[in-house]
Amino acid sequence: MALLSLEKVSVAYENQYILQNFDLSVEKGQLISLLGPSGCGKTTTLRLIAGFLEAKEGKFLLNGKDYTRIPVNKRNFGFVFQNYALFPHLSVYDNVAFGLRLRKVKEPEIRQRVTKVLDAVSLAGFEQRFPKALSGGQRQRVAIARALVIEPDLLLFDEPLSNLDANLRVSMRVEIRRIQQELGITTIYVSHDQEECFSISDRVAIMNKGIIEQLDRPAAIFKYPKTEFVARFIGFNNFIDFEQRSDSGDEIELKAKDRIFRAVRHPGMSGANGRKGAIRPDDIVVGTPEEIEAGVGCLTGRVKVSTFLGRSYQYVVETELGSFTANKEMESPFLSGQEVRLFFPREKLVLVE
Amino acid sequence: MKKKVLVLLLPGLLFLTAFMLVPIVITVGSTFVHDGAFTLEGYMHFFGDTFFLKILFTTLEVSLVTTLMCIVLGFPVAYYISRRGRRQKSLLLALAIFPLLTSSVVRSFSWMIILGKKGLLNNALIALGLIKEPMDILYTPAAMMIGLVHLFLPLIIITLVGVMENIDPDLIKAAESLGASRFSAFRKVIVPLSVPGLIIGSILVFVGSLTAYTTPALLGGKQKVISTFLYQNAITLNDWYSASVIATIMMAITFAVIAIMNKIANTLNPKG
Amino acid sequence: MQENNRGLGLFTLLVYLFLLGPLVIIALSSFEPGTVLKFPPTGFSLRWYQKIFEVEMFMKTFKTSMAVSLLGNLFALLLGIPAAYALSRFPFKGKDALNAVFLSPVLIPGIVLGFTMLKFLIVTYHLPIYTGLLVGHTVVMLPFIIRVVESSLANFDFAVEEAALSLGAGRLQTFFRVVLPNIKSGIIAAVLIAFLESFNNVDISVFMTGPGVSTLPIQMLTYVENYFDPTIAAISVLLMALTAVLMFVIERLMGLSYFTKR
């Protein structure tokens, strides 16, 4: 059974729904990311779980207990903020000890636990510093330590790395994953950075307009997006609307304007009942009509735009099924207006809803 | 959420309502009612009374001259301060703010020492042979104006400095590079960009002068202005109806001035 | 950035002479040994300083002024801090209008405020004069408290509040343990600014005098009408010293930029 579940939750702000009939469940010990463009409801979901927002309808259960109406300060969740939100008037030590003091923990035990957690985030020796004397990465570590020390039932991250520079982001996310796995603490992580979410999560929920489009393991999402939105979001730039489809076993035959394409049904393909085909620019094979023989999965067109990407060239090719973007590594590029043929390999063509 | 906000605001709101808003609204309202009927009699009486009109005009004249003097003296000084380095600017600002925080009684009183018949100014002028007999300056509108300029000049200076220090100094360099002389750069760049500060400063000075009590009371002698006239009617003559009418007129002028100046500020705003 | 402009520099010097000269003159003439205030003073004496402490009315009105300003300040804080917090913390309809209401005591001519308060607090509500004085001064101080506290809350990151809540602090605990410590210096500055505003107030106090009740500035006004000895000059020096000290503290706490912003 899931540790955490949101059941038919709705959140509205000034009579406008941000979440409606929203469901989510998280297994114990997992790190799940909520990923999506701004305004998709990911932060709202996180703040709802934290207790900063109240659900208008629906239920929030944790460990079987109803948390829907429990106020934020009675929830015992650790929350890590985007801008760290350290107490500016307190030292690192007192920042971390804050939650323990509220819980009336005895001073010797506080000292022991604060020391241990600061050790875990590699900040031993910084106890007496004040937040303004710390770097961004150090502040974020204090924020994590402060959230961890209360031994929270749930750890919540709201875009914790977005204020750090690129290198630090990479090393911090490794560290967050390490700490999370060491402590086995159930974690919900919000970000708009794909790479970040995919690299640290057990599962990723791609959100759009207040609903979860797909919730799956990172690799599964990356390979087999369920919906067009998810596909676009993770880089499938090319879509074909098919008019006919006929399945025989795992083989699927598709038709658009009398052109025939083939795709393969894969066990992990969650949107496999759709009629829309999606493919990444890297996966389309592009060549001259001489190089690629016409046939199933092929389409002829003219190069409209050609862009140098560094390692490869990117072409926008106009065909009778619309324009497609395809990448190819080559010495001398195709010219604008040149006739080329595109081939859509059946194992790369993914069907989405 | 709404409830939370209300709980926090309510004590202050109730306090202001009971002790400020209600008294003012009822005072104003009472001037329009006589024997249970609506009337403008009180106002007709005042605006038909040359004695009151003279007081009103003196007040407006004193306030207007004070405001103009403050602008003429304050504008260049504010510009000078705003172009100083940090340390000098802080010092000059502090020296302007200090009088502002000092009691108006003390500041007006200081002019009694200077402007009196045997005061510093008359003594100096006689010693220099410029006049033979001491002049009557104290207890005249001129003394009021001097006292009021002294009272409000710091206000316009610091307000203008606040606006001018946000004007990018490169703008002047840009204007000069386009062929403007330093003075015309000042006139075409600094002056228009200072207009919002100038208007706010002028409102503060004009309204402040219009309603000031201490300075006219100490330096004006027998010459009344509306604030001292209000006091006289309320306390000395115990004529509360007249005092209420004067209070209403004062507020009306104050709000009218603020409204008009804001209107001007909106049409003049260089940012459109 | 500095520009050299001698004419402008000289002009500024003269204007500052006009602003500060009278205060220097008052200070110097307070040492006049004779019974008539003169400048320049004819000698050096501290007798008028001594006299302040011998005149009962000065001591009494000083105490009244102190009591009213301090107690009124406390009331203004109790009313003003929650209001300033609500106005800065939460978005809600009609916020600008409410803000204007809270700042309105500075907009209404002081003398009008004083008169209407006399009419209502003393005559209609039958408050004792002393209480009326206290209420009047609280009204005068409230906008200053609200404005200064609002400006220090403007620099406060309210996410910090959520952090405290998520760590288990209640609403009040959060306010006292997290918000208050971070706007402490703003509040002290607000108290001092409001104190000066109240302590120097004439417009309200002049209407709220009665048997045995008056404030120091009003007592000074009355004294000046009847005597022209250097006592008032001596008191002025003490008041200026107090002002200078408080201004220094305000500068330390929040700089002087508060005054230049409108």
Side-chain angles (χ1 to χ4, degrees):
Chain A
M1 207 193 92
L3 174 84
L4 173 155
S5 62
L6 294 180
E7 292 169 8
K8 300 214 174 308
V9 167
S10 297
V11 176
Y13 181 71
E14 286 182 353
N15 295 326
Q16 186 145 5
Y17 280 99
I18 301 168
L19 296 177
Q20 202 164 8
N21 285 326
F22 186 84
D23 294 314
L24 174 73
S25 63
V26 182
E27 303 294 324
K28 191 168 168 51
Q30 283 202 333
L31 192 158
I32 176 168
S33 289
L34 305 180
L35 173 66
S38 58
C40 70
K42 57 188 192 296
T43 298
T44 303
T45 310
L46 192 75
R47 295 174 62 80
L48 175 87
I49 294 169
F52 295 135
L53 291 174
E54 210 169 88
K56 204 172 158 183
E57 294 141 24
K59 255 187 182 170
F60 165 29
L61 301 174
L62 185 79
N63 250 335
K65 190 177 161 198
D66 187 352
Y67 266 67
T68 319
R69 302 276 170 248
I70 293 182
V72 46
N73 52 328
K74 302 271 188 283
R75 287 195 181 190
N76 200 43
F77 298 166
F79 199 103
V80 179
F81 294 82
Q82 182 172 10
N83 57 357
Y84 326 127
L86 298 180
F87 306 123
H89 63 298
L90 298 180
S91 66
V92 167
Y93 182 91
D94 290 329
N95 258 283
V96 177
F98 190 89
L100 296 176
R101 295 214 167 105
L102 287 169
R103 284 163 179 73
K104 307 256 185 288
V105 177
K106 296 266 180 302
E107 276 303 322
E109 191 190 334
I110 291 181
R111 187 164 315 128
Q112 191 196 338
R113 282 167 70 176
V114 171
T115 309
K116 198 173 142 212
V117 77
L118 284 178
D119 244 9
V121 297
S122 325
L123 274 180
F126 285 84
E127 288 83 353
Q128 298 317 316
R129 294 267 195 105
F130 279 80
K132 63 168 181 265
L134 300 177
S135 70
Q138 289 168 335
R139 283 181 207 183
Q140 194 52 279
R141 276 179 239 246
V142 176
I144 293 170
R146 184 178 69 177
L148 283 175
V149 78
I150 60 171
E151 292 172 358
D153 299 325
L154 210 54
L155 194 53
L156 308 172
F157 287 92
D158 183 13
E159 310 228 8
L161 306 181
S162 60
N163 286 344
L164 303 178
D165 65 48
N167 290 332
L168 204 53
R169 269 210 295 272
V170 174
S171 62
M172 275 303 290
R173 75 187 189 210
V174 173
E175 199 151 339
I176 287 176
R177 181 59 164 163
R178 174 183 64 79
I179 294 168
Q180 186 266 333
Q181 283 185 325
E182 268 175 27
L183 300 174
I185 196 163
T186 312
T187 301
I188 300 177
Y189 191 101
V190 160
S191 176
H192 62 267
D193 184 328
Q194 265 183 57
E195 192 188 314
E196 193 176 307
C197 287
F198 280 49
S199 67
I200 65 170
S201 311
D202 293 303
R203 296 204 299 159
V204 175
I206 310 268
M207 289 185 67
N208 178 34
K209 292 181 186 157
I211 58 159
I212 293 179
E213 296 262 344
Q214 185 172 9
L215 173 59
D216 215 330
R217 288 176 301 108
I221 291 180
F222 199 74
K223 242 174 149 173
Y224 302 118
K226 186 181 173 194
T227 64
E228 184 183 346
F229 175 82
V230 176
R232 270 188 206 284
F233 194 71
I234 59 172
F236 285 73
N237 291 1
N238 302 298
F239 294 90
I240 308 174
D241 285 311
F242 295 114
E243 290 138 15
Q244 276 182 34
R245 103 173 235 179
S246 54
D247 295 36
S248 61
D250 286 342
E251 285 284 329
I252 306 168
E253 194 175 273
L254 301 141
K255 244 189 207 172
K257 288 196 176 161
D258 294 330
R259 305 235 160 236
I260 297 172
F261 294 83
R262 289 223 170 84
V264 183
R265 177 187 288 274
H266 188 275
M269 202 185 272
S270 43
N273 296 323
R275 274 231 204 134
K276 186 167 269 202
I279 188 164
R280 293 179 190 272
D282 278 335
D283 294 335
I284 298 181
V285 181
V286 51
T288 59
E290 292 76 39
E291 286 168 342
I292 300 174
E293 217 178 304
V296 169
C298 282
L299 209 50
T300 315
R302 284 188 188 280
V303 173
K304 221 166 70 181
V305 185
S306 150
T307 327
F308 183 51
L309 292 184
R311 221 175 53 193
S312 58
Y313 284 88
Q314 182 166 78
Y315 303 103
V316 177
V317 179
E318 192 70 31
T319 73
E320 57 177 319
L321 293 181
S323 60
F324 293 89
T325 309
N327 297 346
K328 186 182 169 89
E329 281 181 49
M330 58 202 301
E331 285 296 316
S332 52
F334 300 131
L335 305 170
S336 255
Q338 189 177 339
E339 192 180 62
V340 292
R341 188 159 289 149
L342 305 176
F343 173 61
F344 301 76
R346 59 182 202 145
E347 64 278 9
K348 302 285 187 187
L349 191 61
V350 178
L351 288 170
V352 299
E353 286 165 1
Chain B
M1 173 93 147
K2 282 265 155 65
K3 212 162 63 186
K4 212 157 47 192
V5 172
L6 204 63
V7 167
L8 293 169
L9 291 174
L10 212 54
L13 272 181
L14 287 179
F15 187 84
L16 284 182
T17 306
F19 298 126
M20 185 188 81
L21 295 178
V22 167
I24 284 178
V25 169
I26 294 187
T27 300
V28 170
S30 71
T31 63
F32 295 106
V33 179
H34 186 67
D35 287 338
F38 175 82
T39 175
L40 286 173
E41 214 175 291
Y43 295 91
M44 312 244 269
H45 169 73
F46 267 100
F47 287 109
D49 178 5
T50 49
F51 180 67
F52 173 73
L53 285 180
K54 187 168 174 292
I55 290 175
L56 185 60
F57 285 130
T58 308
T59 312
L60 290 171
E61 188 193 351
V62 166
S63 305
L64 192 66
V65 174
T66 302
T67 309
L68 293 176
M69 286 295 291
C70 281
I71 293 173
V72 169
L73 295 176
F75 199 90
V77 170
Y79 177 66
Y80 181 78
I81 296 176
S82 71
R83 300 293 97 158
R84 295 286 96 189
R86 254 181 67 90
R87 289 182 68 96
Q88 268 196 58
K89 184 152 62 178
S90 306
L91 180 70
L92 287 169
L93 273 179
L95 289 177
I97 292 166
F98 174 70
L100 200 63
L101 295 178
T102 302
S103 160
S104 59
V105 178
V106 171
R107 296 170 66 196
S108 301
F109 177 66
S110 69
W111 287 100
M112 295 178 76
I113 307 177
I114 298 168
L115 300 177
K117 262 222 156 89
K118 291 174 184 165
L120 181 63
L121 186 66
N122 272 322
N123 284 350
L125 291 176
I126 292 170
L128 288 171
L130 290 174
I131 51 171
K132 288 204 178 76
E133 290 293 310
M135 298 188 297
D136 283 317
I137 310 174
L138 191 59
Y139 308 132
T140 66
M144 265 194 264
M145 284 177 210
I146 294 173
L148 288 172
V149 171
H150 186 242
L151 203 60
F152 292 117
L153 185 54
L155 204 55
I156 205 162
I157 290 177
I158 60 174
T159 307
L160 281 172
V161 170
V163 173
M164 285 177 177
E165 66 185 356
N166 291 325
I167 298 175
D168 186 350
D170 285 345
L171 286 178
I172 300 186
K173 292 207 190 92
E176 282 176 335
S177 78
L178 293 169
S181 69
R182 176 167 287 182
F183 179 71
S184 73
F186 172 81
R187 198 167 55 86
K188 295 209 165 107
V189 177
I190 297 295
V191 175
L193 288 174
S194 307
V195 163
L198 203 57
I199 288 182
I200 295 168
S202 305
I203 293 177
L204 293 172
V205 175
F206 189 81
V207 170
S209 310
L210 202 67
T211 60
Y213 173 79
T214 314
T215 305
L218 279 180
L219 304 179
K222 288 204 169 49
Q223 177 61 57
K224 289 266 173 290
V225 293
I226 39 179
S227 58
T228 48
F229 191 53
L230 166 62
Y231 179 82
Q232 187 191 35
N233 272 279
I235 301 296
T236 320
L237 305 176
N238 250 315
D239 180 356
W240 288 35
Y241 179 74
S242 297
S244 301
V245 172
I246 299 166
T248 307
I249 294 173
M250 260 176 106
M251 276 195 292
I253 297 176
T254 303
F255 291 137
V257 168
I258 294 174
I260 291 168
M261 292 301 264
N262 276 331
K263 191 112 199 169
I264 295 174
N266 285 339
T267 48
L268 280 185
N269 195 338
K271 282 158 201 150
Chain C
M1 226 274 311
Q2 295 228 4
E3 263 175 49
N4 286 319
N5 191 331
R6 287 190 169 200
L8 205 52
L10 188 67
F11 185 80
T12 303
L13 184 72
L14 290 175
V15 168
Y16 270 81
L17 208 62
F18 168 74
L19 281 181
L20 299 170
L23 301 180
V24 175
I25 288 170
I26 247 194
L28 293 177
S29 47
S30 71
F31 300 113
E32 164 68 38
T35 53
V36 177
L37 194 56
K38 278 197 188 91
F39 186 85
T42 55
F44 179 85
S45 155
L46 290 176
R47 63 182 276 209
W48 302 105
Y49 287 87
Q50 206 178 344
K51 190 184 167 197
I52 302 170
F53 296 92
E54 286 160 4
V55 178
E56 203 211 325
M57 277 317 284
F58 285 134
M59 295 318 287
K60 200 175 161 191
T61 53
F62 171 74
K63 281 178 198 149
T64 307
S65 276
M66 273 303 208
V68 166
S69 297
L70 292 176
L71 211 55
N73 222 317
L74 184 68
F75 291 148
L77 282 176
L78 291 176
L79 298 168
I81 292 178
Y85 175 77
L87 289 168
S88 340
R89 174 74 174 87
F90 305 108
F92 54 91
K93 269 188 209 134
K95 186 167 164 161
D96 289 346
L98 278 174
N99 213 12
V101 169
F102 276 108
L103 299 182
S104 64
V106 287
L107 221 61
I108 294 162
I111 205 84
V112 172
L113 211 53
F115 166 64
T116 55
M117 280 181 171
L118 167 68
K119 224 173 123 176
F120 274 77
L121 306 194
I122 311 302
V123 180
T124 310
Y125 298 164
H126 297 295
L127 293 178
I129 289 180
Y130 197 89
T131 314
L133 202 54
L134 196 57
V135 168
H137 279 241
T138 306
V139 169
V140 168
M141 281 187 268
L142 195 53
F144 290 92
I145 299 284
I146 287 184
R147 205 154 68 178
V148 182
V149 173
E150 269 184 340
S151 80
S152 42
L153 280 171
N155 299 322
F156 180 73
D157 174 14
F158 286 105
V160 166
E161 236 188 12
E162 294 189 331
L165 287 169
S166 77
L167 291 168
R171 278 261 160 216
L172 276 181
Q173 261 176 326
T174 300
F175 184 78
F176 284 104
R177 295 178 79 145
V178 175
V179 181
L180 212 52
N182 280 301
I183 57 168
K184 200 175 56 193
S185 57
I187 288 178
I188 298 172
V191 165
L192 297 182
I193 290 170
F195 175 86
L196 281 172
E197 210 54 46
S198 151
F199 195 84
N200 291 333
N201 181 282
V202 169
D203 295 353
I204 305 280
S205 306
V206 79
F207 288 100
M208 304 273 181
T209 56
V213 183
S214 188
T215 64
L216 183 59
I218 305 306
Q219 179 60 34
M220 287 164 73
L221 275 181
T222 317
Y223 192 88
V224 169
E225 277 169 21
N226 302 313
Y227 311 94
F228 203 64
D229 68 32
T231 320
I232 297 296
I235 297 180
S236 297
V237 172
L238 297 184
L239 288 184
M240 285 191 275
L242 176 71
T243 307
V245 170
L246 294 188
M247 189 178 124
F248 179 76
V249 179
I250 293 169
E251 200 274 334
R252 288 287 101 170
L253 288 171
M254 57 185 271
L256 293 175
S257 62
Y258 161 77
F259 296 99
T260 61
K261 271 185 257 151
R262 299 262 162 243

